[in-house]
Amino acid sequence: MKQTAATTEDVLCLTHPDMSWIRDNSMTWTQRFCAQVLRYGEIPKHVAFIMDGNRRYARKNHVGKKDGHVRGFDKLSETLQWCLHLGIKEVTVYAFSLDNFRRTQEEIDILFDLAREKFKRLLEEKDKLNEHGVCINFVGNFKQLPEDLVKLIAESMFITKQNNKTFLNVAFSYTGHDELTNAFNHISNGIKNKDLEESDLSVEIIDNCLYTYPSPPPDLLIRTSGETRLSDFMIWQCSYSYIYFTSTLWPEFSAWDFMIAIFMYQRNLREFLRYRSPSRRLSSRAEKFVENVKQKRLNSLYTIA
């Protein structure tokens, strides 16, 4: 069976009582020194992760799937700490693909139960998240999700919406194709309802109608486990991102692996940035339309919260 990002075995589990979304600094003195050296170069403002390899980690170490999931979440929280240490402003992770709805109902139920555990833990740690200024944002199509799960998502966003030091975007019930389809539908309806003119059509209006708005495109995308594809993750936003593939399994991803990815980004920065063209300013009409699209989406979630 073809493996996709965030499969049943690859979704991170929060059943371990000691796991935290924000943890203390786990870097060694040598790693902290190297991280400080890297900060003399250009640090990416936005890093995205396709976290892959939990199942293979479990097989490799002859442990149960749940142990692989626990290690996977431990690694996510550890990686978030590295990002905070390096001053990375925004992180996006691929947590649950819409493609997973093609699986059996039993598998889907397992995925949703794991997600409930994760998001409940997040709510329990709201003080720590607020202390670090972390804003949680979920991006995806929530129409097919159970109501109680959507409520947890909405509450997680609501309790951290005022924070602006660091942004964590969780792509849940998400694919890039669905995101683009949703954006095109908004724009089409905007023209039909006279909220937009055909002259407003541009790359920028599409950018601003995506689930991820107003986040900037990732500067760096990292995928673990040796897979060298995007798996329908941020296919529009990553057009000019530096993409780093590593054979390291996600639970084994270390601070050294992360810093190598940052170093490779810095080394190739000039080459890929020259292909990025500056964004054009939207008309006042288009700006108003985009803001309304965003606000309606947030209001629909905050009402649930």
Side-chain angles (χ1 to χ4, degrees):
M1 181 181 296
K2 183 179 180 180
Q3 187 183 30
T4 59
T7 59
T8 303
E9 290 79 10
D10 290 324
V11 173
L12 306 176
C13 176
L14 284 186
T15 56
H16 192 284
D18 295 328
M19 286 189 297
S20 169
W21 281 79
I22 300 292
R23 59 187 293 172
D24 295 331
N25 199 322
S26 62
M27 302 176 82
T28 65
W29 180 89
T30 307
Q31 289 169 340
R32 290 197 298 271
F33 174 78
C34 291
Q36 188 62 37
V37 172
L38 282 176
R39 294 188 70 170
Y40 284 97
E42 182 73 21
I43 295 296
K45 298 178 179 63
H46 184 183
V47 178
F49 293 91
I50 300 178
M51 307 170 291
D52 200 10
N54 293 349
R55 178 178 59 179
R56 276 166 279 180
Y57 172 85
R59 286 201 303 263
K60 175 183 174 181
N61 292 276
H62 308 290
V63 297
K65 294 178 183 178
K66 180 179 288 189
D67 292 322
H69 302 328
V70 169
R71 287 291 295 127
F73 180 75
D74 275 344
K75 189 55 59 177
L76 172 58
S77 61
E78 192 175 14
T79 304
L80 292 176
Q81 178 264 310
W82 300 336
C83 290
L84 286 171
H85 183 75
L86 278 168
I88 293 168
K89 181 79 172 177
E90 190 152 6
V91 177
T92 300
V93 297
Y94 201 8
F96 182 90
S97 169
L98 278 171
D99 292 335
N100 286 329
F101 281 108
R102 300 174 185 172
R103 296 182 175 274
T104 66
Q105 188 60 49
E106 180 182 3
E107 288 178 310
I108 293 171
D109 290 341
I110 290 172
L111 290 170
F112 287 169
D113 286 343
L114 295 179
R116 289 182 181 96
E117 291 290 337
K118 287 195 293 181
F119 303 152
K120 285 178 183 176
R121 184 58 185 252
L122 188 152
L123 292 173
E124 292 171 1
E125 297 192 324
K126 63 180 181 180
D127 292 340
K128 185 180 290 187
L129 291 167
N130 290 333
E131 177 186 344
H132 286 82
V134 179
C135 177
I136 305 293
N137 185 38
F138 286 84
V139 296
N141 186 339
F142 305 141
K143 294 178 182 178
Q144 300 183 59
L145 298 179
E147 185 176 340
D148 66 318
L149 194 51
V150 176
K151 189 174 189 299
L152 287 171
I153 287 172
E155 289 177 352
S156 302
M157 292 177 61
F158 184 77
I159 64 172
T160 62
K161 68 176 184 176
Q162 301 299 330
N163 297 334
N164 58 13
K165 182 179 178 182
T166 303
F167 297 88
L168 172 60
N169 307 314
V170 181
F172 196 86
S173 190
Y174 172 93
T175 61
H177 281 84
D178 175 76
E179 180 178 42
L180 285 170
T181 300
N182 181 72
F184 295 152
N185 285 336
H186 278 307
I187 294 169
S188 176
N189 290 333
I191 293 175
K192 186 188 302 182
N193 298 330
K194 309 295 184 183
D195 295 323
L196 288 176
E197 299 290 340
E198 289 190 9
S199 60
D200 292 318
L201 296 180
S202 65
V203 169
E204 288 74 22
I205 193 73
I206 297 173
D207 287 340
N208 293 349
C209 286
L210 297 175
Y211 293 139
T212 53
Y213 172 80
S215 295
D219 300 299
L220 170 64
L221 169 65
I222 299 172
R223 179 165 189 164
T224 57
S225 85
E227 299 291 346
T228 54
R229 50 193 167 82
L230 294 182
S231 296
D232 210 357
F233 177 58
M234 300 185 82
I235 53 177
W236 178 272
Q237 297 91 328
C238 290
S239 298
Y240 297 104
S241 303
Y242 180 73
I243 302 177
Y244 180 78
F245 297 110
T246 174
S247 60
T248 304
L249 301 177
W250 174 250
E252 297 175 335
F253 189 69
S254 70
W256 293 119
D257 294 313
F258 183 55
M259 287 190 284
I260 289 171
I262 299 294
F263 173 75
M264 293 302 295
Y265 162 81
Q266 293 177 338
R267 184 178 179 182
N268 293 276
L269 181 65
R270 184 176 301 176
E271 177 64 23
F272 71 86
L273 279 186
R274 69 190 181 96
Y275 293 107
R276 282 187 173 176
S277 56
S279 297
R280 292 184 300 166
R281 183 177 178 83
L282 296 177
S283 67
S284 58
R285 175 179 55 248
E287 286 182 346
K288 181 179 178 181
F289 170 78
V290 166
E291 193 56 38
N292 285 338
V293 168
K294 176 192 173 186
Q295 204 56 52
K296 285 179 181 178
R297 176 176 169 81
L298 290 177
N299 288 343
S300 65
L301 283 172
Y302 292 159
T303 300
I304 297 172

